[in-house]
Structure formats: C-alpha cells, structure tokens
C-alpha cells in the first residue's frame, strides 16, 4: 500500500504540491491523473526519495522509501524510461540491477522474457532501442526484484497497441495477485480500462479521488435524440426541469439520473436513440471537466 499524507512541496514561492493526501490500496490499480504541470511527477519523485517534501510524508508498505534497505525488492519504479545508459545493452542494465539487489543472474533472462525482449534485443545497445523497447526495459528493471508495489510514470509511452495490451494484462495480473500499482498516464482510455481507483490532481491539489465506478457514475446521463433536430427541444425541456446539460459527442450529458431524463423526454414528446449512464462517455470527459480550471492552458488564461 502507498499512503500519501498532507504532502506539500514548495520551490521558493511556487507550490508544486499542495497538501495532497490519497492512498493506493493493495490489490488494486490506482490511476494518477492530471494536466501537465499538475504535480504528478513531483509527487512520484517524493514517493521514491528523489525529492524531499516541504511538509507531509509518503509511506510505501508502511515505511519511508529512504528507509528501505534493499528498495528494489519491495518497490519497482519507472519514472523515466529514457534515463538509461545508452552505451550498455539491455542485458547489462538488468544484470547490474540484479547484482545491486543481490539476485541470481538467472533472474535477468527470466525478466527479459517476462517483458517480451528477445535475446537479440537484449544484446543491443540501448541507444539503438526504440522508445517502446526502452519502456519494456524500464518495466523489466522495476519487476526484476519481484516487488509488491509498482510506481510507474507513463509506462505505455511509445508502446504499440499490442504492447499497450501486454502492459495492461501485466499490471492487472500484478494487482490481482496482491500487488499495489500506482500508474500515471496521459492515455486516459488505458487508465479507464485498467484502473480500479482514480486520483485526479490539478495545480498541485487533489480535485477528485475515489473508485473508478464512483467517479464515473457521478458523470450523469448521456442522451441522444432519434432526430437531431429535436435535441434543442430536449435541451429546453431538461432546463425547465432544472437539469443542467452539456453538449457531448452529438448528444447531451445531463446532470440527472437516466430515469428522470427519460421521463422528461417522454413528456416533451422527444424520441430517444440513446439513454444511458454517462460512465460510458468515458474518463476523458470527466477528466476534462474536473481539470478545466487547472489545465496548463486554462491556468495561463
């Protein structure tokens, strides 16, 4: 388990992380989302001892990361897949990691196979790796110590669709076997597919957190009319019923449950083509709504 308690990090007058608290639970995948500059990377660097907090604390499996005697055996970390020695081979990088952790050499070959790097690829210099291959090598380095916690920043970056599916299955299996996964990604669909819990940060502050089901259920109702010309009529009827609506993907998202929206449409004589809970509208809409005022562009404005 990862526990973040009242975490703040200031750089002079700038507050990068502002009183952040959340938990990444055992046996679950927690998606950590936010716009660029929201404080995700700073928070994750504090988790693994690379940055000291101004106030607050983070514990991983009940302890400060810096207190772990052999951290790679307990926490697997991938913060920057490009931060690898370009002149070494993939096998050499894993061999050094294994030696540092006191692991047998056999673990290197096992882990290379686990992340789908072939024997030929393992002997290449990292400078000749694609971004996707570097990601696989970074994930291998995080996994080689057989930790129970994974902290991963953009692990799908550079992976092709098959690679993304592989990573999704790997992390889902890791959590299902009792591991803890904290995953930051800009690929919102992948977070939506794999995450059990979601934490959203904006301008250094938590703007939403909870289970994926809870957060998406709060998104309201998605409704589309059979005749597009009737959408304005439905919109007016919903407003008269004190229901707030937002245009979305050829339809409306209504801040009400499907039953109320359906009844309103029926009274207004509007034939519907689609009526469902807006969780199907996806994490992207929820994310954009929650971070509208804290996104980099919005903040600049």
């Amino acid at each position: 388990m990862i526990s973040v308690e009242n975490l703040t990090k200031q750089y002079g007058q700038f507050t990068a992380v502002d009183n952040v608290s959340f938990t990444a639970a055992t046996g679950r995948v927690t998606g950590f989302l936010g716009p660029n500059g929201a404080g995700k990377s700073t928070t994750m660097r504090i988790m693994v001892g690379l940055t000291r907090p101004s106030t607050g604390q983070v514990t991983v499996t009940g302890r400060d990361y810096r207190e772990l005697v052999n951290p790679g055996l307990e926490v697997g970390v991938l913060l920057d897949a490009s931060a690898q020695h370009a002149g070494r081979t993939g096998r050499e990088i894993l061999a050094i990691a294994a030696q540092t952790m006191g692991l047998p050499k056999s673990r290197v070959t096992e882990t290379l196979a686990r992340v789908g790097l072939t024997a030929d690829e393992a002997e290449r210099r990292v400078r000749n790796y694609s971004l996707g291959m570097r990601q696989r090598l970074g994930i291998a380095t995080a996994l080689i110590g057989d930790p129970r916690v994974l902290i991963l920043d953009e692990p799908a970056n550079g992976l092709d669709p098959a690679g993304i599916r592989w990573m999704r299955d790997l992390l889902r299996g890791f959590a299902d076997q009792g591991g803890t996964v904290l995953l930051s990604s800009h690929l919102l669909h992948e977070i939506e597919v794999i995450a059990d819990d979601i934490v959203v940060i904006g301008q250094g502050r938590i703007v939403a957190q909870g289970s994926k089901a809870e957060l998406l259920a709060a998104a309201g109702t998605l409704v589309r009319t059979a005749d597009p010309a009737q959408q304005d009529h439905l919109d007016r009827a919903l407003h008269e019923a004190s229901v707030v609506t937002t245009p979305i993907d050829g339809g409306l998202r209504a801040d009400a449950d499907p039953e109320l929206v359906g009844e309103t449409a029926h009274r207004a004589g509007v034939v519907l083509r689609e009526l469902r809970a807006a969780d199907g509208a996806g994490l992207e809409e929820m994310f954009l709504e929650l971070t509208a005022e804290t996104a980099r562009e919005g903040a600049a404005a």
Side-chain angles (χ1 to χ4, degrees):
M1 185 177 76
I2 303 170
S3 178
V4 181
E5 300 177 10
N6 306 117
L7 194 66
T8 296
K9 178 60 182 178
Q10 294 177 306
Y11 296 96
Q13 298 299 312
F14 174 67
T15 302
V17 178
D18 189 358
N19 197 32
V20 164
S21 297
F22 67 89
T23 297
T26 301
R28 298 175 72 83
V29 177
T30 300
F32 190 32
L33 306 178
N36 291 337
K40 301 188 304 297
S41 294
T42 300
T43 301
M44 297 177 90
R45 286 178 60 84
I46 292 173
M47 287 179 182
V48 299
L50 295 176
T51 298
R52 287 186 176 274
S54 300
T55 59
Q57 65 174 351
V58 178
T59 56
V60 183
T61 64
R63 290 167 291 172
D64 189 305
Y65 183 90
R66 292 167 295 183
E67 297 175 355
L68 302 179
V69 176
N70 195 343
L73 300 182
E74 301 186 54
V75 186
V77 179
L78 173 61
L79 297 187
D80 184 359
S82 65
Q84 298 164 347
H85 195 302
R88 295 191 184 277
T89 68
R91 184 178 294 277
E92 287 172 342
I93 286 176
L94 281 188
I96 292 170
Q99 184 177 14
T100 301
M101 297 178 201
L103 301 171
K105 292 182 179 179
S106 60
R107 190 69 67 84
V108 174
T109 301
E110 294 169 1
T111 307
L112 285 167
R114 186 177 183 184
V115 301
L117 287 173
T118 66
D120 176 67
E121 291 168 339
E123 301 305 328
R124 294 185 202 173
R125 304 291 176 188
V126 171
R127 67 166 60 94
N128 298 319
Y129 274 20
S130 66
L131 179 55
M133 291 170 64
R134 290 187 184 218
Q135 290 289 70
R136 288 178 183 264
L137 181 60
I139 293 172
T141 305
L143 290 172
I144 195 168
D146 195 24
R148 302 313 303 153
V149 175
L150 290 177
I151 298 174
L152 309 174
D153 192 4
E154 302 285 358
N157 192 24
L159 294 178
D160 59 19
I164 292 175
R165 176 64 180 270
W166 160 80
M167 185 203 67
R168 181 196 308 162
D169 292 344
L170 175 74
L171 299 184
R172 182 72 267 161
F174 184 90
D176 289 345
Q177 293 172 14
T180 301
V181 179
L182 180 69
L183 172 66
S184 167
S185 178
H186 69 281
L187 300 175
L188 297 182
H189 174 68
E190 291 310 312
I191 292 289
E192 184 172 2
V193 171
I194 193 176
D196 301 299
D197 303 306
I198 295 173
V199 177
V200 184
I201 188 172
Q203 289 189 336
R205 297 181 179 180
I206 300 298
V207 295
Q209 61 178 307
S211 73
K212 178 179 65 178
E214 291 170 346
L215 291 179
L216 292 181
T221 296
L222 180 65
V223 58
R224 292 185 176 90
T225 58
D227 179 0
Q230 288 191 305
Q231 182 168 303
D232 289 341
H233 182 42
L234 175 61
D235 194 23
R236 289 192 296 271
L238 288 169
H239 283 179
E240 289 172 1
S242 300
V243 175
V244 177
T245 62
T246 306
I248 176 176
D249 193 22
L252 296 171
R253 186 182 68 78
D255 290 343
D257 61 60
E259 183 177 359
L260 175 58
V261 174
E263 290 175 351
T264 303
H266 178 70
R267 288 196 301 269
V270 175
V271 178
L272 301 181
R273 175 167 61 89
E274 184 174 10
L275 176 67
R276 59 183 171 88
D279 60 303
L283 181 61
E284 182 177 17
E285 291 301 324
M286 184 203 76
F287 174 82
L288 292 174
E289 182 175 340
L290 288 172
T291 61
E293 297 182 1
T294 58
R296 194 181 195 111
E297 291 79 4

